[in-house]
Amino acid sequence: MSSEFELIARYLAPAPAGGGAGVSLGVGDDCALLAPTPGMRLAVSVDTSVADVHFPAGAPADAIGHRALAVSLSDLAAMGARARWCLMSLTLLEADEAWVADFAAGFHALCAAAGVALAGGDVTRGELAVGVTVMGEVPEGLALTRAGARPGEVLAVTGALGGGAGGLARWQAGERDCDDALLRRYLRPEPRLGAGLALRELASAAIDVSDGLLADLGHLCTASGVGAALTPEALPLAEGLATALGDDEALHAALRGGDDYELLVTLPEAHLEPARARLAAEGLALTAIGRVSEAPGITGAVPDGAAGWQHFSGDTP
């Protein structure tokens, strides 16, 4: 059986010498040495993905690797940051080399697609979990935050909603075809890094939709000291969602399901069409779904129910 050091050297060390652009010293020493771009601010985020909490333990290993990195990169996208580096810790019950090889393939493939260098990490024994720290760069004063929304601005969302929840429902119903559109949205979410960069000078506030639209809109409103008037009938639903779940459950999935990793933004009315044009170049839609209001709270024809996923709430994902 391979040791953790052998697993790291064989599967989790990056291919480029030194670990990639901006990595002066990478995997194999006590710390990584990074060289940020002069004049930039570092954006740093960390996420832990736990088996059967954030992903099914029986999911394909390459999908688990992709997903663990994608959900962290989504935070950089929401800040308008360019992704640069990541650190990854992997906890395994046993050193299953075939599983690790597939996991690493999924993780490294997304690293390459996103332009991210794996600069270090750790492998240890225990219940299956993946911890990922991502680091990106954003010019000083241009980071998107949750605190910039102003009354009267447009609420808009990239892409489509409900696909993550719809995919989870498909998995729980026994669907294992990873080419299924909804299941793919759940197992292999796509962080909207290009959209974050495109919206950086047009949006006034942003957050990624990870816990559900209502929950994350609530976080944005609280940070900005505003409210929101939502138009649920305007929500862009993931393809096939209504067919799979029915109209009512599809709306519930879009509002509260989570795991979509789209960007929810606020922007002045005059910036809406320029923002749509920029995202069209990325092959992505931007849909207006409401307005920022001065009065606190979220209004609109919102069905009753929990706002979204919360750890320690007693809910089961």
Side-chain angles (χ1 to χ4, degrees):
M1 182 178 293
S2 299
S3 70
E4 65 268 31
F5 305 109
E6 291 169 326
L7 290 176
I8 291 171
R10 194 169 299 146
Y11 301 110
L12 301 177
V23 181
S24 302
L25 183 64
V27 175
D29 219 302
D30 291 302
C31 293
L33 298 180
L34 308 177
T37 305
M40 293 287 188
R41 290 291 181 261
L42 282 177
V44 182
S45 181
V46 61
D47 277 292
T48 301
S49 295
V50 179
D52 291 329
V53 176
H54 301 94
F55 62 88
D62 62 331
I64 294 173
H66 172 104
R67 194 178 196 283
L69 177 58
V71 301
S72 287
L73 290 176
S74 184
D75 289 330
L76 294 183
M79 298 289 289
R82 184 177 302 279
R84 294 292 310 274
W85 310 285
C86 66
L87 305 173
M88 187 263 290
S89 62
L90 176 60
T91 305
L92 297 166
L93 279 171
E94 58 182 356
D96 181 338
E97 289 207 35
W99 191 96
V100 174
D102 286 347
F103 170 89
F107 193 93
H108 286 311
L110 184 53
C111 280
V116 177
L118 176 60
D122 186 35
V123 175
T124 191
R125 185 175 181 178
E127 297 294 330
L128 178 59
V130 190
V132 178
T133 298
V134 291
M135 290 160 277
E137 295 180 329
V138 61
E140 184 175 1
L142 292 184
L144 292 171
T145 72
R146 301 176 182 185
R150 299 292 179 265
E153 291 185 328
V154 177
L155 281 172
V157 68
T158 63
L161 299 171
L168 175 58
R170 300 279 279 173
W171 179 273
Q172 292 172 334
E175 177 63 65
R176 295 296 183 266
D177 178 7
C178 291
D179 288 330
D180 176 85
L182 291 177
L183 192 55
R184 186 172 183 85
R185 285 289 304 265
Y186 173 64
L187 292 178
R188 297 177 182 274
E190 294 300 325
R192 302 304 191 188
L193 290 165
L197 295 177
L199 292 169
R200 194 163 62 192
E201 296 178 339
L202 295 174
S204 53
I207 189 171
D208 74 319
V209 182
S210 55
D211 296 329
L213 177 68
L214 285 181
D216 292 314
L217 175 56
H219 299 324
L220 187 150
C221 288
T222 296
S224 293
V226 296
L230 195 62
T231 309
E233 60 269 24
L235 298 185
L237 301 183
E239 184 178 358
L241 185 65
T243 300
L245 301 184
D247 291 341
D248 290 344
E249 284 302 314
L251 179 58
H252 187 276
L255 287 168
R256 298 181 167 88
D259 279 323
D260 283 319
Y261 302 102
E262 298 291 352
L263 300 185
L264 173 65
V265 301
T266 67
L267 65 173
E269 179 80 42
H271 290 180
L272 180 59
E273 290 309 318
R276 282 174 166 161
R278 288 191 185 183
L279 292 197
E282 298 279 331
L284 196 61
L286 181 69
T287 303
I289 60 170
R291 290 274 179 178
V292 180
S293 61
E294 186 170 354
I298 300 172
T299 62
V302 178
D304 293 335
W309 166 248
Q310 299 181 50
H311 289 281
F312 310 114
S313 67
D315 296 334
T316 300

